[in-house]
């Protein structure tokens, strides 16, 4: 894989999400943030990502389920 990576970040805490997205962008990666499980799921259906970074608890969903679904 070539740098920069395409990264999807899922976190329902807006401050954590923006901080992680900013940190990864500052290192030169193409980063997309999603604040909901459904938004992340839709993004994964329409575009490939090299890496998924997910909070474990996203409201009533479990971020690990999304990881398993995207395998």
């Amino acid at each position: 894989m070539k740098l920069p990576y395409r990264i999807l970040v899922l976190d329902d805490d807006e401050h954590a999400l923006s901080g992680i997205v900013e940190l990864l962008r500052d290192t030169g990666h193409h980063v997309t943030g999603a604040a909901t499980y459904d938004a992340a799921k839709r993004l994964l259906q329409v575009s490939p990502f090299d890496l998924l970074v997910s909070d474990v608890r996203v409201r009533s969903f479990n971020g690990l389920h999304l990881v398993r679904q995207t395998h």
Side-chain angles (χ1 to χ4, degrees):
M1 263 185 235
K2 295 180 183 179
L3 292 175
Y5 294 118
R6 289 182 35 86
I7 302 172
L8 175 61
V9 179
L10 168 61
D11 199 316
D12 58 350
D13 179 314
E14 68 179 78
H15 297 294
L17 178 61
S18 64
I20 295 167
V21 167
E22 182 179 337
L23 177 73
L24 292 170
R25 282 186 182 155
D26 287 348
T27 62
H29 299 293
H30 299 291
V31 185
T32 303
T36 66
Y37 180 91
D38 290 331
K41 194 171 177 180
R42 282 191 303 273
L43 286 165
L44 287 165
Q45 289 172 345
V46 298
S47 183
F49 289 89
D50 300 311
L51 177 66
L52 169 62
V53 177
S54 177
D55 188 2
V56 174
R57 291 194 178 154
V58 184
R59 300 194 187 183
S60 61
F61 293 98
N62 183 329
L64 295 176
H65 291 143
L66 185 62
V67 171
R68 288 184 186 142
Q69 290 175 4
T70 59
H71 179 17

